Amino acid sequence: MMTTTSDTSPRIALVTGATGGIGRATALRLARDGMAVAVHYAGRKAVAEELVEEITAAGGRAVAVGGDIADEAAMTELFDEVERTFGGIDVVVNTAGIMLLSPIAELDLDALDRMHRTNIRGTFVVSQQAARRLRRGGALINFSTSVTRTSFPAYGAYVASKAAVEALTPVLARELRGRDITVNTVAPGPTATPLFLDGKDEQTVAQLAKAAPLERLGQPEDIAEAVAFLAGPARWINGQTLFANGGLA
């Protein structure tokens, strides 16, 4: 069944970080729900264009859009482009983010600044544009991490950047009172994406896979299902952080 803003208008979704594992799965999932999808990329334009081709080959509508999510001018133009192409925006899913791991005592502060720029400022810039642009009935979904609860060593700076996203969520939900727009955050657990697997040996990955009661790593499609729920039927869930982690925490 096609998800619509009215009886005749398909919903329009923007997915940032759509060239990553969770972003790609989310773009495909929302396209299967009947949404037209703007596939955002930061540097991997060819990957984004391949995803657009995959969506359109399956009968969907998609366009590739690029830009630095922490650059307000770039994001203003990106949102303008999506509105010009599809006529509006109903769903913004902000999966874009970076993860640099180190014990706090040893952290290179340049890494902290990089994560702050993308994970906090980038989330804020995208959320600001979404707050200005989303149509009635819309949804904004940002991303945190279940490590804000599990507190794994070496994740301190990353968790600090994501905890800020969780704190932003209920504030923006309340600021959008009266506009019928939901604001939520998804906090995945260990998920089999390049971002998660990079730099981890097989033993570490196996231990993390066993940590959840379901005894496996999450798959990008598992997270995309949570996003599709918040982007579509879950109109009474607002200002929340949803932990999609198989029962890890």
Side-chain angles (χ1 to χ4, degrees):
M1 180 177 177
M2 180 173 288
T3 305
T4 62
T5 52
S6 69
D7 291 339
T8 59
S9 300
R11 283 162 70 82
I12 313 303
L14 165 63
V15 180
T16 74
T19 58
I22 290 173
R24 172 185 168 80
T26 295
L28 290 169
R29 181 65 176 80
L30 297 183
R32 287 202 303 273
D33 278 351
M35 297 189 195
V37 182
V39 173
H40 164 265
Y41 63 91
R44 300 195 295 169
K45 182 178 181 180
V47 176
E49 290 176 340
E50 289 174 3
L51 179 54
V52 168
E53 290 176 4
E54 183 174 349
I55 291 171
T56 55
R61 299 170 66 204
V63 64
V65 290
D68 176 0
I69 65 166
D71 183 329
E72 64 271 32
M75 287 301 99
T76 298
E77 173 54 32
L78 183 146
F79 274 74
D80 286 345
E81 183 177 352
V82 176
E83 289 179 336
R84 285 193 300 267
T85 301
F86 293 127
I89 303 177
D90 303 291
V91 175
V92 173
V93 185
N94 190 32
T95 77
I98 60 173
M99 180 173 66
L100 304 170
L101 304 182
S102 168
I104 292 170
E106 301 169 12
L107 180 71
D108 181 340
L109 293 179
D110 287 342
L112 177 65
D113 291 342
R114 285 178 59 197
M115 284 191 286
H116 184 285
R117 187 176 191 280
T118 298
N119 297 353
I120 300 179
R121 178 184 170 89
T123 295
F124 197 97
V125 169
V126 171
S127 296
Q128 187 176 65
Q129 287 295 322
R132 296 169 178 172
R133 311 284 192 117
L134 283 170
R135 298 188 288 199
R136 290 191 66 84
L140 168 63
I141 300 121
N142 283 316
F143 267 73
S144 179
T145 171
S146 286
V147 189
T148 56
R149 300 297 185 270
T150 59
S151 303
F152 293 148
Y155 282 77
Y158 177 67
V159 165
S161 73
K162 290 301 190 177
V165 177
E166 293 185 23
L168 175 70
T169 298
V171 174
L172 184 54
R174 285 159 176 77
E175 289 180 352
L176 296 181
R177 173 183 292 274
R179 290 181 51 191
D180 191 25
I181 293 171
T182 60
V183 182
N184 293 291
T185 291
V186 173
T191 305
T193 66
L195 179 70
F196 169 76
L197 296 172
D198 184 43
K200 294 182 176 68
D201 58 34
E202 290 185 9
Q203 181 179 2
T204 299
V205 172
Q207 289 174 342
L208 290 168
K210 286 288 188 181
L214 296 179
E215 295 190 329
R216 67 172 176 86
L217 292 179
Q219 296 299 314
E221 292 75 16
D222 293 319
I223 312 305
E225 285 295 329
V227 173
F229 176 60
L230 295 173
R235 300 305 303 169
W236 197 234
I237 299 176
N238 192 23
Q240 305 300 312
T241 296
L242 175 62
F243 288 84
N245 58 26
L248 180 65

